[in-house]
Amino acid sequence: TYGGKLCEYICSGTARDFLADAIVKAEFEEPDCDVVMHSHDELVCEGPEGIAKVVERVMLDVPKWGRDMPMKVEAWEGPRYRK
């Protein structure tokens, strides 16, 4: 392998750790948030109107070890999943 590939693996693994942390927080700390699926960097949840703000807040609450990393989250809500 080479340096670029190693960097890609490190970035992908870190993003996965952030997403896994958000999934656990959404499932167990937010009573109205029901995680339906996730894909790479997406978290899909069912819940009452306004759930997008809850999901956004959960995803921005990164673990202590990742507080210095830049994070941006875009959340939306609608009647069905879209890409």
Side-chain angles (χ1 to χ4, degrees):
T1 192
Y2 62 98
K5 188 59 83 173
L6 293 175
C7 183
E8 177 186 348
Y9 291 159
I10 291 169
C11 291
S12 294
T14 303
R16 182 257 175 224
D17 290 343
F18 283 146
L19 183 62
D21 184 66
I23 290 169
V24 170
K25 286 178 183 171
E27 278 287 324
F28 298 107
E29 295 178 12
E30 297 296 333
D32 294 333
C33 189
D34 182 28
V35 176
V36 178
M37 70 174 233
H38 59 87
S39 173
H40 301 284
D41 59 352
E42 290 183 285
L43 184 57
V44 181
C45 300
E46 286 184 341
E49 192 169 317
I51 195 70
K53 290 291 182 194
V54 172
V55 173
E56 189 173 297
R57 183 176 44 77
V58 165
M59 290 188 78
L60 284 173
D61 184 25
V62 298
K64 190 161 66 169
W65 58 264
R67 301 260 190 237
D68 293 333
M69 295 182 193
M71 180 69 72
K72 181 180 177 187
V73 175
E74 294 178 10
W76 68 273
E77 58 185 77
R80 63 185 63 84
Y81 176 75
R82 69 172 185 187
K83 197 63 182 157

